[in-house]
């Protein structure tokens, strides 16, 4: 068995705070948008919790950002600009997830501290962490105090548009979390990646 | 004011006229023979028995002469025959009239009335005195002396306002009065002489605007301030506040409100009508709200924002887009008012005087006549923009009560709507009635109904940018996408597991065949 330390402590802390935060944001967000459909808490409680948790998640994001900006491991998020190579690797990865893993083939991507993500993960995480999540945080802050940020809300076309963007990204994260949790369970054994996300050590059998 | 009364020229103008000129000059005593119209009519009045210009004597002297001819009637009529009864008869008449006059104006004589005013009241103090206008309206000429005596206008006296009465033409000169209303509107200009500041405020008010529009119910000065009975602070007592005369529904709502009850219990800090609306520069309610009626609420409730901020998310936005009454008058029907606003200037679109285009454009776009739908609203905005190239028209929404009177049913703080779910849920009552509005030149609104789904249509993302209530006006299409995401997210693991099952099965079968 080969062990690789791929998840430093700041990343693990960020990840789990973020994970719990996302789940709570979804829970409270659903209560805000669908009052009466779910009845775990009042609208006002949901809004208050949503705001506080939102700020915690935003602060947590900066833990992640600061770590990678000050670490050489930032290479994990530097995109591969060689389209041919990227496509080839991505295709191999899709083939593995769609066929190879079911017939006992080895994962074409080997996890190392400076090459943590397979090409599909790399693309997705880059987009999520550098584009989608910041937009969600930003629209969330605008909605937190619409009047204070009224000029920016107006710039983006009004509160209706800002809220629609926020909800569409929320829909994206619903899909993302299902997928992320499921793919995380595809280790060998199925708890391997979860365990690694707690310990920092990825074990290769 | 006192100087005005002192300078009053009533005896020299009014009573010097025709009938009892010497009597009018008689204060305090008259010792001269009378030669006037009565003399011309064969009456010789020697007023030696009069000790002063007795109002009743004055009135009695008028009776049976020109006044009846002018169309002026008195409830107490003394015939010409009686007037001709000779010196003895006249003396009796004078005494009787003096007694009657004393009865009529006893209080006036004892209080603030000046002698000239008493002279006028000699006739005008008699009940039932009126004049017919050309259209048949009855214009009361009766001034109850006791009421006038209590009025602040005793300071200026009768001629302070009725300065157009000519000594030699009263009361015989008939005026061409078309109607009581026309007479009042014309006469009201008199008030300006002393109350110029208030008059200017009124001139800019919605009331004056309605008067100019020819609305016969729109109030002029004398409709609120009884000109002969105006007293100080009349408008500050609930029972005498003049607004209730026309706005009885509003008054009833107010009287039952927290403000009305406090006022009734003697809390003079609790506002009456003018406390919020001002007395004279009254604007249309929606304009007042935009221009600062809400700031008048916060004038007393100074910590409104701070208090709301402690529990209400986005308190500032709520205070901006929700009228106070929408929450503080619980249980009343509410509506969404989508105001057409020029995006560049953020000023509401006003209908130009004489060139109405909003209503016509709205009707043209509302093909089925069932109220504007989402697409119709969008096309309406674009059509209005075509009329004025370069402008971009947007809709800014505001949640308010449906009826103006209901806005006064303000309840105690503890009864105000504080459950966010009242509004922030799909199908909430507050969002079922929707209208678009522009302002008339005088500030009143022109509304056109819209369907409630304009608030939840994807098309409205463009046309109703400035109004959105989380939960209540959420866009249906986005909801479908959320459901799709949920189903799709759950389908990915299931699909992948199924794929694995099929692949492994196919692989096993392939191996078995091999």
């Amino acid at each position: 068995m080969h062990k690789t330390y791929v998840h430093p402590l700041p990343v693990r802390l960020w990840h789990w705070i973020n994970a719990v935060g996302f789940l709570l944001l979804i829970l409270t967000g659903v209560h805000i948008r669908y009052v009466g459909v779910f009845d775990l808490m009042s609208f006002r409680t949901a809004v208050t919790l949503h705001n506080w948790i939102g700020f915690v998640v935003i602060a947590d994001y900066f833990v992640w950002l600061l770590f990678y900006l000050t670490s050489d491991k930032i290479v994990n998020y530097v995109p591969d600009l060689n389209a041919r190579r990227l496509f080839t690797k991505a295709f191999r990865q899709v083939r593995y997830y769609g066929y190879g893993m079911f017939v006992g083939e080895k994962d074409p991507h080997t996890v190392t501290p400076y090459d943590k993500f397979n090409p599909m993960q790399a693309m997705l995480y880059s987009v999520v962490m550098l584009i989608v999540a910041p937009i969600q945080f930003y629209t969330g802050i605008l909605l937190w105090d619409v009047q204070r940020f009224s000029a920016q809300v107006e710039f983006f076309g009004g509160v209706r548009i800002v809220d629609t963007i926020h909800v569409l990204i929320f829909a994206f994260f619903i899909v993302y979390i299902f997928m992320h949790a499921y793919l995380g369970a595809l280790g060998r054994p199925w708890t391997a990646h979860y365990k690694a996300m707690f310990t920092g050590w990825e074990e290769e059998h | 004011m006192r100087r005005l009364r002192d300078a009053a020229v009533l005896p020299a103008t009014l009573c010097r006229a025709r009938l009892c000129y010497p009597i009018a000059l008689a204060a305090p005593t008259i010792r001269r023979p009378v030669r006037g119209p009565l003399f011309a009519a064969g009456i010789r009045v020697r007023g030696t028995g009069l000790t002063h210009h007795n109002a009743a004597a004055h009135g009695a002297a008028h009776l049976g002469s020109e006044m009846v001819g002018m169309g002026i009637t008195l409830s107490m009529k003394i015939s010409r025959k009686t007037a001709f009864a000779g010196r003895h008869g006249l003396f009796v008449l004078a005494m009787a009239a003096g007694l009657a006059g004393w009865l009529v104006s006893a209080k006036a004589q004892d209080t603030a009335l000046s002698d000239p005013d008493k002279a006028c009241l000699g006739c005008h103090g008699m009940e039932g005195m009126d004049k017919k206008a050309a259209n048949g309206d009855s214009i009361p000429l009766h001034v109850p002396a006791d009421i006038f005596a209590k009025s602040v206008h005793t300071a200026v006296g009768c001629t302070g306002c009725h300065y157009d009465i000519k000594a030699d033409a009263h009361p015989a000169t008939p005026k061409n009065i078309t109607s009581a209303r026309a007479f009042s509107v014309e006469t009201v200009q008199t008030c300006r002489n002393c109350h110029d500041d208030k008059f200017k405020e009124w001139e800019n008010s919605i009331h004056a605007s309605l008067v100019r529009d020819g609305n016969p119910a729109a109030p002029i000065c004398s409709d609120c301030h009884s000109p002969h009975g105006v007293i100080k602070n009349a408008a500050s007592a609930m029972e005498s506040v003049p607004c209730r005369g026309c706005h009885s529904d509003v008054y009833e709502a107010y009287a039952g409100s927290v403000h009305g009850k406090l006022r009734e219990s003697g809390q003079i800090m609790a506002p009456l009508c003018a406390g919020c609306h001002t007395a004279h520069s009254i604007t249309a309610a929606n304009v007042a709200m935009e221009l600062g009626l809400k700031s008048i609420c916060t004038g007393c409730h100074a910590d409104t924002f701070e208090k709301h901020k402690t529990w209400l998310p986005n308190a500032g936005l709520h205070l901006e887009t929700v009228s106070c009454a929408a929450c503080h008058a619980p249980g009343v029907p509410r509506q969404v008012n989508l105001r057409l606003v020029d995006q560049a200037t953020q000023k509401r679109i006003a209908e130009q005087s004489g060139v109405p285009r909003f209503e016509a454009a709205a009707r043209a776009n509302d093909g089925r006549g069932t109220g504007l739908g989402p697409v119709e609203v969008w096309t309406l905005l674009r059509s209005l923009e075509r009329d004025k190239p370069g402008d971009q028209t947007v809709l800014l929404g505001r949640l308010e009560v449906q009826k103006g009177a209901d806005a006064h049913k303000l309840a105690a703080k503890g009864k105000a709507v504080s459950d966010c779910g009242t509004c922030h849920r799909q199908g909430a009552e507050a969002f079922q009635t929707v209208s678009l509005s522009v302002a008339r030149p005088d500030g009143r609104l022109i509304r056109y109904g819209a369907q409630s789904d304009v608030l939840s249509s994807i098309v409205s993302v463009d046309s109703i940018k400035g109004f959105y209530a989380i939960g209540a006006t959420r866009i249906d299409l986005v909801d479908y996408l959320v459901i799709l995401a949920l189903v799709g997210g759950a389908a990915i693991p299931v699909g992948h597991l199924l794929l694995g099952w099929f692949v492994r099965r196919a692989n096993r079968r392939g191996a078995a065949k091999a």
Side-chain angles (χ1 to χ4, degrees):
Chain A
M1 186 181 69
H2 178 71
K3 288 174 72 174
T4 312
Y5 189 66
V6 290
H7 303 307
L9 182 63
V11 173
R12 292 184 337 252
L13 276 176
W14 157 76
H15 177 269
W16 287 115
I17 292 172
N18 194 63
V20 173
F22 260 52
L23 290 175
L24 290 176
L25 285 173
I26 288 174
L27 181 74
T28 52
V30 163
H31 274 80
I32 291 169
R33 188 171 173 84
Y34 302 103
V35 175
V37 178
F38 303 96
D39 210 17
L40 278 181
M41 63 190 89
S42 72
F43 180 89
R44 197 193 312 167
T45 305
V47 170
T48 307
L49 285 175
H50 198 78
N51 289 340
W52 280 107
I53 296 163
F55 282 117
V56 169
V57 168
I58 291 170
D60 188 42
Y61 175 82
F62 284 97
V63 171
W64 170 87
L65 187 66
L66 210 64
F67 171 78
Y68 277 108
L69 285 177
T70 56
S71 163
D72 56 358
K73 292 186 174 63
I74 195 172
V75 294
N76 282 310
Y77 287 93
V78 175
D80 187 350
L81 297 177
N82 185 325
R84 188 188 183 90
R85 187 169 57 215
L86 186 69
F87 178 78
T88 307
K89 283 184 173 178
F91 180 76
R92 270 191 217 146
Q93 199 65 40
V94 170
R95 185 187 172 280
Y96 171 73
Y97 281 126
Y99 177 75
M101 67 178 294
F102 301 128
V103 294
E105 288 181 5
K106 190 174 178 297
D107 190 334
H109 177 256
T110 304
V111 175
T112 70
Y114 296 93
D115 188 16
K116 255 171 56 164
F117 305 130
N118 69 46
M120 293 180 70
Q121 282 175 311
M123 278 192 286
L124 181 64
Y125 290 163
S126 297
V127 170
V128 167
M129 293 305 292
L130 299 175
I131 299 172
V132 180
I135 291 176
Q136 190 70 336
F137 298 153
Y138 182 59
T139 53
I141 288 171
L142 295 185
L143 292 169
W144 163 64
D145 195 337
V146 176
Q147 207 176 40
R148 185 194 299 248
F149 302 110
S150 59
Q152 292 168 67
V153 171
E154 282 304 310
F155 177 79
F156 289 106
V159 65
R160 188 174 283 263
I161 289 179
V162 173
D163 186 78
T164 301
I165 293 169
H166 197 75
V167 175
L168 288 176
I169 294 177
F170 154 72
F172 165 81
F173 276 125
I174 290 177
V175 179
Y176 177 88
I177 283 178
F178 270 109
M179 211 165 69
H180 188 72
Y182 174 70
L183 291 175
L186 294 183
R188 288 175 185 162
W190 72 272
T191 54
H193 295 319
Y194 282 98
K195 192 176 164 190
M197 210 59 232
F198 281 107
T199 63
W201 293 91
E202 195 73 65
E203 295 177 5
E204 195 183 337
H205 294 274
Chain B
M1 298 290 258
R2 176 62 60 183
R3 206 155 52 84
L4 267 172
R5 189 182 73 165
D6 294 343
V9 289
L10 180 67
T13 54
L14 175 62
C15 292
R16 192 185 290 166
R18 298 194 177 185
L19 294 169
C20 26
Y21 162 56
I23 299 175
L25 294 176
T29 56
I30 295 172
R31 297 279 177 200
R32 288 198 292 174
V34 171
R35 286 184 182 275
L38 292 180
F39 174 79
I43 305 171
R44 289 174 182 274
V45 179
R46 295 197 184 278
T48 51
L50 301 176
T51 55
H52 64 93
H53 182 193
N54 185 292
H58 177 101
H62 282 283
L63 297 179
S65 66
E66 288 95 330
M67 296 179 76
V68 175
M70 286 172 65
I72 299 171
T73 58
L74 292 171
S75 58
M76 183 179 74
K77 289 185 180 176
I78 300 172
S79 70
R80 186 177 288 265
K81 189 177 175 184
T82 310
F84 276 95
R87 287 184 185 180
H88 180 72
L90 187 63
F91 178 74
V92 173
L93 167 66
M95 291 301 289
L99 180 63
W102 181 82
L103 289 171
V104 168
S105 58
K107 201 149 191 175
Q109 288 170 353
D110 291 341
T111 54
L113 289 179
S114 67
D115 287 344
D117 291 348
K118 290 172 187 169
C120 299
L121 291 168
C123 293
H124 290 280
M126 292 189 178
E127 215 170 310
M129 188 177 186
D130 70 353
K131 180 176 173 62
K132 295 289 179 203
N135 70 341
D137 284 352
S138 171
I139 302 170
L141 300 182
H142 168 229
V143 178
D146 54 340
I147 290 176
F148 182 62
K150 292 176 191 167
S151 158
V152 294
H153 278 168
T154 53
V156 295
C158 303
T159 52
C161 299
H162 299 284
Y163 49 79
D164 59 329
I165 301 294
K166 301 299 178 197
D168 56 352
H170 188 75
T173 306
K175 283 185 176 176
N176 184 22
I177 299 172
T178 53
S179 67
R181 174 69 176 177
F183 178 68
S184 297
V185 171
E186 183 191 335
T187 311
V188 82
Q189 294 296 327
T190 307
C191 308
R192 185 197 289 271
N193 294 335
C194 294
H195 306 287
D196 190 41
D197 52 341
K198 299 284 183 273
F199 199 89
K200 279 179 181 160
E201 287 177 6
W202 173 81
E203 275 187 317
N204 292 320
S205 73
I206 183 68
H207 285 159
S209 176
L210 291 169
V211 171
R212 286 191 288 272
D213 286 353
N215 185 326
I220 56 176
C221 308
S222 54
D223 288 319
C224 299
H225 307 285
S226 167
H228 301 110
V230 62
I231 56 171
K232 275 189 177 174
N233 301 323
S236 57
M238 281 179 76
E239 62 273 13
S240 59
V241 69
C243 316
R244 64 187 294 189
C246 293
H247 303 284
S248 58
D249 55 340
V250 174
Y251 179 81
E252 293 304 322
Y254 162 82
S257 75
V258 64
H259 286 154
K261 285 176 179 166
L262 281 172
R263 186 86 182 187
E264 198 175 16
S265 70
Q267 296 275 347
I268 56 165
M269 290 298 288
L272 196 53
C273 311
C276 299
H277 294 279
T278 74
H280 301 100
S281 50
I282 298 160
T283 53
N286 65 293
V287 179
M289 196 56 78
E290 284 170 24
L291 294 181
L293 185 61
K294 189 170 275 184
S295 71
I296 291 169
C297 299
T298 56
C300 292
H301 304 281
D303 52 357
T304 297
F305 177 68
E306 296 304 322
K307 280 192 171 170
H308 281 80
K309 206 170 67 171
T310 60
W311 67 273
L312 181 63
N314 266 312
L317 184 66
H318 278 96
L319 293 177
E320 187 180 291
T321 54
V322 182
S323 75
C324 300
C327 297
H328 287 273
V332 306
R334 287 163 291 182
Q335 64 176 351
V336 174
N337 176 12
L338 297 170
R339 299 166 295 170
L340 275 76
V341 170
D342 180 80
Q343 191 166 37
T345 61
Q346 286 294 299
K347 288 186 176 172
R348 67 175 311 151
I349 307 288
E351 194 80 306
Q352 298 298 309
S353 187
V355 273
R357 59 190 184 118
F358 166 71
E359 212 166 357
R363 192 163 288 115
N365 279 282
D366 183 16
R368 291 166 295 173
T370 53
L372 297 164
V375 177
E376 285 96 339
V377 168
W378 189 87
T379 52
L380 170 66
L381 296 182
R382 300 293 87 80
S383 70
L384 290 173
E385 287 170 2
R386 273 199 302 277
D387 291 349
K388 293 184 82 176
D391 288 1
Q392 189 174 4
T393 306
V394 294
L395 292 168
L396 290 186
R398 191 163 174 281
L399 189 63
E400 52 194 33
V401 297
Q402 285 186 22
K403 294 178 184 170
D406 283 348
H408 301 83
K409 291 181 178 172
L410 299 168
K413 189 167 65 177
K415 292 180 181 170
V417 174
S418 58
D419 176 11
C420 311
T422 306
C423 291
H424 288 284
R425 65 171 66 234
Q426 197 170 39
E429 168 271 334
F431 303 96
Q432 302 311 305
T433 306
V434 183
S435 64
L436 276 64
S437 70
V438 297
R440 286 192 177 95
D442 63 10
R444 281 176 295 153
L445 290 185
I446 303 171
R447 294 179 188 270
Y448 198 91
Q451 294 163 15
S452 61
D453 64 349
V454 298
L455 300 175
S456 56
S457 166
I458 188 71
V459 180
S460 302
V461 166
D462 182 51
S463 49
I464 309 177
K465 296 172 179 174
F467 186 76
Y468 183 71
I470 287 175
T473 64
R474 59 182 197 250
I475 299 165
D476 299 337
L477 189 62
V478 176
D479 280 349
Y480 297 138
L481 286 174
V482 170
I483 293 168
L484 188 66
L486 199 62
V487 174
I492 288 172
V494 174
H496 194 247
L497 289 171
L498 279 174
L499 179 66
W501 183 78
F502 278 117
V503 170
R504 280 190 285 268
R505 194 177 73 159
N507 211 32
R508 277 198 302 273
R509 285 183 179 175
K513 279 184 184 174

